[in-house]
Amino acid sequence: MKKIALMLLTMFAFAKISIAQDVMQYMNGKEKKVIYEAQAGDYVYYFKKEGGKKHKIDKEEVFRIFRKGGDTVYVYVQDSLMENEYSVNEIERMMNGQKEARKYYKPYLNLATGFCVGGVSAYAGLFWSFLPPAIYTTVLGVREANSAYFVVSDDSLYDDEFFLEGYEIGARAKKIKYAMIGSVAGIAAGFAVFNMIIPKVDALK
């Protein structure tokens, strides 16, 4: 009984510490629990845990800080001189688009294409095998994602230009990520085929 009580007390204390932390929201909508300290110059200073090492991050990467007390500290400020042309509301809609892209956009074609490119490239040897996949992912980074394949939680979001702009950014990043994963897997599979399986088959002839 005492052990159970101790476990519950420990869990409660851990949950209380977790809840008490601030939340830093990046410009892409992702969030991270931190202990916010201050803004100074071009950086935001924070701690990952109480009594831990102080960290800093460029202000351009941070949108806002949700304080544990309930208030919000906005790091992003609309300023055309700093090339921050979007309003806070527009940035929020763009971040929502990136979140939806991370959740709903499925670039399986890029995953499969990356696998094929990597697999064929493995024939060129270890040094040259990474060149075609690198070219492929670079092309994906330059080309915009096709909006015809965008999947969203609410059809009304298709009418929000800022949401779609954010979604395109998130979709493009996801395409590159999937292509890289597919390419690495393809290279590994290609090396296995060209250096292990095919030689063994030839030896049996």
Side-chain angles (χ1 to χ4, degrees), residues 40-162:
D42 295 328
Y43 299 98
V44 174
Y45 293 88
Y46 66 95
F47 298 91
K48 291 183 178 180
K49 61 181 180 180
E50 191 72 40
K53 179 183 177 182
K54 183 190 292 188
H55 297 268
K56 68 178 182 179
I57 183 172
D58 197 299
K59 282 185 176 181
E60 293 185 357
E61 298 181 46
V62 182
F63 179 56
R64 57 189 168 189
I65 309 290
F66 295 110
R67 300 303 307 276
K68 61 184 179 183
D71 57 322
T72 302
V73 177
Y74 283 90
V75 178
Y76 174 87
V77 178
Q78 184 178 16
D79 187 344
S80 58
L81 296 178
M82 298 172 59
E83 298 185 357
N84 294 348
E85 57 195 63
Y86 298 102
S87 69
V88 168
N89 175 263
E90 291 166 349
I91 290 291
E92 288 176 334
R93 286 149 65 186
M94 290 175 66
M95 288 195 306
N96 187 35
Q98 291 185 65
K99 285 182 179 179
E100 295 255 321
R102 286 194 293 269
K103 184 175 182 179
Y104 296 110
Y105 188 71
K106 308 297 182 184
Y108 293 131
L109 178 60
N110 301 112
L111 179 69
T113 303
F115 183 85
C116 294
V117 172
V120 174
S121 301
Y123 182 75
L126 181 61
F127 180 78
W128 295 104
S129 62
F130 290 95
L131 182 59
I135 294 173
Y136 175 56
T137 53
T138 300
V139 171
L140 289 179
V142 174
R143 296 180 58 186
E144 291 188 0
N146 191 340
S147 60
Y149 297 101
F150 289 180
V151 178
V152 299
S153 60
D154 184 346
D155 288 346
S156 64
L157 293 171
Y158 286 118
D159 299 323
D160 187 340
E161 61 175 307
F162 296 104

Side-chain angles (χ1 to χ4, degrees), residues 185-204:
I187 290 173
F191 271 113
V193 171
F194 294 124
N195 296 295
M196 297 173 64
I197 297 177
I198 292 180
K200 288 182 179 181
V201 172
D202 291 338
L204 296 174

Side-chain angles (χ1 to χ4, degrees), residues 1-14:
M1 189 69 181
K2 289 183 178 180
K3 289 184 177 180
I4 296 175
L6 182 60
M7 288 175 61
L8 291 174
L9 183 62
T10 303
M11 291 173 64
F12 175 76
F14 179 77

